[in-house]
Amino acid sequence: MTFKMLRKGALVALLLLVSVSGFGQKFLWDVNFKSGFDNREYKNLETAQSATLFGLQFEPAVGLGWGEGHSIFAGGYLMAHYGARNPRYTVLPEIFYQYDGEHFRANAGIFPKRKAKGDYPKVFLGDNRYYGVPFQGALLAGKGETWMAEAILDWVGRIDKTSPSTRERFMVYTYATKSFGPFYVSFAGMLYHYASSEEVKGVVDNIWIYP
């Protein structure tokens, strides 16, 4: 993408913001920055490689809000992998709808992983909680005085005729918790749907439950 194209896109976004400013919308902005260091220099295993993960993540976004908790955001995701050659940077767009109410919240589109509030076990998200690209799908969540529940759909792959081995894939995450005075119970679940491709037929569903 050239600078000229970026400049045109910024101009269009500015014109849109100005054109709707008279209809009760409000300008919103959101910026997230974090840097992580994880030393994993240990004896090689079959499931992991000995390495040190070090980098930064930057997610700026601007948006328009209206009504009671409705908003639309557009921004970007930048992940810098220190010392890496390929890829050294991961750059992706983020465009999403958001509703944030007193007892209910929702996201739809390409939205940051930090929108997930559930206490998911590391085995579910692993490095993706920090290094992972944005969710592509939808999130629904509700909460009360003593409970909270959340469900996320993350579409991570689709059948592609130009790449016959590429499978259709999506992830579903669920989390719920309920407190009883000083005690609480919680539940986390994950479904990994690994479907067919142009070359390979069949479906494999990997389901994990973490009570």
Side-chain angles (χ1 to χ4, degrees):
M1 181 177 291
T2 65
F3 174 76
K4 188 175 182 180
M5 293 173 63
L6 289 173
R7 187 174 61 183
K8 286 183 178 180
L11 179 59
V12 171
L14 179 61
L15 290 175
L16 287 173
L17 289 174
V18 172
S19 65
V20 299
S21 61
F23 295 92
Q25 284 85 359
K26 53 186 177 181
F27 176 77
L28 304 172
W29 62 275
D30 183 39
V31 175
N32 178 61
F33 173 86
K34 57 185 176 182
S35 180
F37 179 87
D38 189 356
N39 187 355
R40 300 183 177 185
E41 293 183 355
Y42 48 76
K43 185 177 180 180
N44 284 336
L45 302 175
E46 292 183 358
T47 57
Q49 180 181 5
S50 177
T52 299
L53 303 180
F54 192 22
L56 68 82
Q57 186 183 93
F58 180 56
E59 291 177 290
V62 295
L64 290 172
W66 72 93
E68 297 294 330
H70 300 277
S71 58
I72 293 179
F73 284 88
Y77 168 94
L78 167 66
M79 182 71 201
H81 312 273
Y82 296 163
R85 292 186 177 181
N86 186 25
R88 187 170 185 177
Y89 301 102
T90 301
V91 181
L92 295 168
E94 289 184 342
I95 304 172
F96 59 95
Y97 163 80
Q98 179 169 289
Y99 175 75
D100 194 0
E102 182 178 359
H103 299 291
F104 179 75
R105 60 187 175 86
N107 290 99
I110 308 173
F111 55 95
K113 272 193 165 60
R114 69 179 186 277
K115 298 297 181 181
K117 304 301 182 182
D119 186 16
Y120 297 97
K122 291 183 178 180
V123 70
F124 281 16
L125 293 173
D127 297 334
N128 289 331
R129 192 62 182 259
Y130 176 75
Y131 291 99
V133 298
F135 286 126
Q136 300 179 82
L139 178 154
L140 298 173
K143 65 178 181 179
E145 292 185 0
T146 61
W147 65 275
M148 178 266 194
E150 180 178 75
I152 304 166
L153 170 64
D154 186 20
W155 207 277
V156 295
R158 59 172 291 178
I159 294 178
D160 187 351
K161 291 185 178 180
T162 63
S163 179
S165 62
T166 300
R167 291 175 177 261
E168 180 179 276
R169 300 176 295 129
F170 64 80
M171 317 281 285
V172 176
Y173 302 94
T174 56
Y175 176 81
T177 183
K178 167 71 175 176
S179 63
F180 301 90
F183 305 99
Y184 73 93
V185 293
S186 63
F187 160 88
M190 183 188 75
L191 164 67
Y192 180 26
H193 181 75
Y194 194 67
S196 60
S197 69
E198 290 290 321
E199 292 182 341
V200 181
K201 303 303 177 182
V203 176
V204 177
D205 287 331
N206 187 8
I207 301 174
W208 291 18
I209 298 176
Y210 192 91

